[in-house]
Amino acid sequence: MQDIPINGLTGLSYLPGYFDREAQQDLLEEIRALVADAPLYQPVMPKTGKPFSVRMSNCGPLGWVSDINGYRYQPNHPATGNPWPEIPARLTALWQDVASNAPAPEACLINFYDTGAKMGLHQDRDEKTFEAPVVSVSLGDTATFRVGGLKRNDPTKSFRLQSGDVVVLGGDARLAFHGIDRVLKGTSTLLKNGGRINLTLRRVTRPD
Ligand code: MD3
Ligand code: FE
């Protein structure tokens, strides 16, 4: 485990190679099954309707969605209207391992990056509580990840996220600006047709 201070913020820990190849394959199979039920869709930006380059789905009681009206968490898939599938046990076990003091995760956002997809610098602040960390899992091609501070213009640090890596964003770092600059084609054989999957586990509501 590596604690990486960024702009004086504490709470970012990096766990390279948390999942070995076999665990990555098992997790990938679980995600494939889940996405067969809750298909990846292309979200659009609020107001402008500009499509994201990343396709998304979710599992858990709540899922993060973006459409013309805004960003929000909701219990149903925007296209099928069905409840999101359950969070796989392997991921709740990960949360137990790295975020055991936090209330249980309610949402797992699934991001799929084709080569060429990216995610601009943003904060994750659509949750009603920031007391739990965000826990991220990377699968497939390596990505260049960028993290800054609490202000958009704070200096940023880049590092590479590889298949099997886990990042825990807790403490002050929970609200740091971050984004994905690019996905490096041909860096992993996990996904047959290349690309990258990122899973982020989140607590959304305040526990009672
Ligand atoms: C740093 N996903 O879904 S995960 C997102 O790889 C998102 O798809 C990226 O940003 C991806 O919102 C990055 C790592 C991550 C997640 C949340 C963070 C880094 C973070 C919250 C605060 C600071
Ligand atoms: Fe984010």
Side-chain angles (χ1 to χ4, degrees):
M1 218 245 296
Q2 275 171 264
D3 275 26
I4 303 182
I6 27 146
N7 291 313
L9 304 177
T10 57
L12 188 159
S13 23
Y14 177 44
L15 296 87
Y18 182 94
F19 289 109
D20 65 17
R21 176 73 182 203
E22 192 174 294
Q24 292 170 41
Q25 276 160 344
D26 292 348
L27 188 51
L28 179 62
E29 282 318 303
E30 290 165 343
I31 299 303
R32 279 197 208 292
L34 199 153
V35 162
D37 178 38
L40 292 169
Y41 73 100
Q42 188 169 38
V44 299
M45 290 295 289
K47 297 186 189 133
T48 63
K50 185 178 185 279
F52 284 51
S53 59
V54 177
R55 287 185 297 149
M56 296 181 176
S57 188
N58 289 272
C59 52
L62 291 171
W64 186 88
V65 300
S66 179
D67 64 18
I68 198 87
N69 300 311
Y71 306 132
R72 64 190 172 276
Y73 282 92
Q74 64 180 46
N76 301 91
H77 191 290
T80 68
N82 293 333
W84 303 106
E86 271 185 52
I87 299 176
R90 197 179 301 277
L91 293 177
T92 49
L94 164 66
W95 184 272
Q96 272 313 309
D97 188 26
V98 302
S100 55
N101 294 325
E106 295 175 300
C108 176
L109 174 61
I110 301 164
N111 292 326
F112 179 75
Y113 295 77
D114 264 322
T115 311
K118 52 190 165 36
M119 190 178 286
L121 209 63
H122 68 277
Q123 290 172 296
D124 289 13
R125 52 182 313 155
D126 299 319
E127 301 74 26
K128 291 189 174 70
T129 176
F130 304 127
E131 70 193 277
V134 174
V135 176
S136 151
V137 181
S138 295
L139 294 173
D141 285 337
T142 301
T144 340
F145 171 62
R146 182 186 292 278
V147 202
L150 301 180
K151 294 192 302 256
R152 179 172 289 279
N153 294 324
D154 285 340
T156 60
K157 225 183 233 185
S158 280
F159 56 103
R160 285 180 176 196
L161 294 179
Q162 292 190 316
S163 196
D165 291 356
V166 167
V167 186
V168 182
L169 300 307
D172 306 331
R174 174 66 181 75
L175 288 170
F177 277 88
H178 60 279
I180 295 290
D181 291 343
R182 55 194 233 98
V183 172
L184 308 172
K185 198 182 171 81
T187 46
S188 166
T189 56
L190 188 71
L191 305 190
K192 190 163 37 80
N193 299 317
R196 169 174 186 265
I197 295 171
N198 181 260
L199 311 168
T200 46
L201 293 159
R202 299 130 188 275
R203 177 75 195 190
V204 180
T205 66
R206 297 187 56 133
D208 37 36

